[in-house]
């Protein structure tokens, strides 16, 4: 999925990608910006947030309220929640809070995955909730690399969502 929409620096936005019945859709602040047929069978692999899996192409900005679900939460336009996301039976990963300045990232989903921080990624004051992650674009990311079957969606439905701000 792609979009020609440019997001403004230093402004929070909500990004969501959701697949339902073989169609993936990308939403920016709740507005659908692209969709495509998607029957790809996604297999589990190490999960990296903040960069490409090798640590390159690093994010320069902030992210918070990261949730991965094994259900299509959004199939049409919606109003993004400004409340802290909560865990439910469809949540596979949920990262919503942390202590300012620390590098401890806790998955609040029932699976309670252990995430490993790399580089200088750390918590700072958030848009929503109790913390957001700061990435400087040079090797900052966090990774979950064992027992990744929670992220093996095959050809089924899923949603990946978060709030972001780019520098």
């Amino acid at each position: 999925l792609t979009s020609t929409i440019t997001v403004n620096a230093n402004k929070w936005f909500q990004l969501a990608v959701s697949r339902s019945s073989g169609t993936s859709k990308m939403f920016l602040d709740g507005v659908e910006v692209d969709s495509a047929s998607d029957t790809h069978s996604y297999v589990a692999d190490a999960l990296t947030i903040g960069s490409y899996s090798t640590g390159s192409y690093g994010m320069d900005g902030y992210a918070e309220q990261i949730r991965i679900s094994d259900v299509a939460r959004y199939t049409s336009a919606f109003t993004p929640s400004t409340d802290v996301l909560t865990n439910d039976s469809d949540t596979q990963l949920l990262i919503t809070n942390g202590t300012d300045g620390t590098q401890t990232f806790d998955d609040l989903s029932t699976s309670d995955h252990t995430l490993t921080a790399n580089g200088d990624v750390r918590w700072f004051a958030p848009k929503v909730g109790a913390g957001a992650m700061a990435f400087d674009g040079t090797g900052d990311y966090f990774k979950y690399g064992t027992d990744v079957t929670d992220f093996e969606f095959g050809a089924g439905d899923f949603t990946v969502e978060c709030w972001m701000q780019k520098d």
Side-chain angles (χ1 to χ4, degrees):
L1 298 174
T2 60
S3 174
T4 58
I5 294 174
T6 302
V7 294
N8 296 321
N10 303 312
K11 180 182 181 296
W12 284 100
F13 60 94
Q14 200 255 12
L15 180 67
V17 174
S18 193
R19 179 168 72 179
S20 175
S21 301
T23 299
S24 285
K25 296 182 177 188
M26 181 168 51
F27 300 90
L28 182 63
D29 288 332
V31 176
E32 183 181 326
V33 294
D34 195 17
S35 68
S37 174
D38 181 5
T39 57
H40 182 79
S41 182
Y42 294 96
V43 297
D45 200 353
L47 174 69
T48 304
I49 297 174
S51 75
Y52 190 68
S53 62
T54 60
S56 58
Y57 302 104
M59 177 180 165
D60 188 7
Y62 308 94
E64 68 170 346
Q65 299 294 307
I66 299 171
R67 179 168 62 182
I68 300 176
S69 308
D70 61 1
V71 65
R73 292 189 185 270
Y74 313 111
T75 58
S76 61
F78 63 96
T79 300
S81 174
T82 56
D83 293 329
V84 175
L85 296 174
T86 57
N87 184 35
D88 61 27
S89 62
D90 299 312
T91 302
Q92 301 302 308
L93 179 77
L94 180 62
I95 305 168
T96 63
N97 61 20
T99 302
D100 198 14
T102 69
Q103 287 190 292
T104 301
F105 300 94
D106 188 28
D107 173 18
L108 301 176
S109 75
T110 304
S111 299
D112 192 27
H113 302 99
T114 299
L115 304 164
T116 303
N118 293 277
D120 293 326
V121 61
R122 63 189 64 252
W123 287 105
F124 88 108
K127 170 168 178 61
V128 175
M133 291 134 288
F135 302 88
D136 67 11
T138 57
D140 296 349
Y141 61 94
F142 56 95
K143 192 170 210 159
Y144 175 74
T146 60
D147 189 24
V148 292
T149 55
D150 284 343
F151 312 116
E152 189 168 313
F153 301 113
D157 297 348
F158 65 85
T159 302
V160 177
E161 62 185 309
C162 69
W163 280 92
M164 300 175 78
Q165 176 181 307
K166 72 175 195 166
D167 279 349

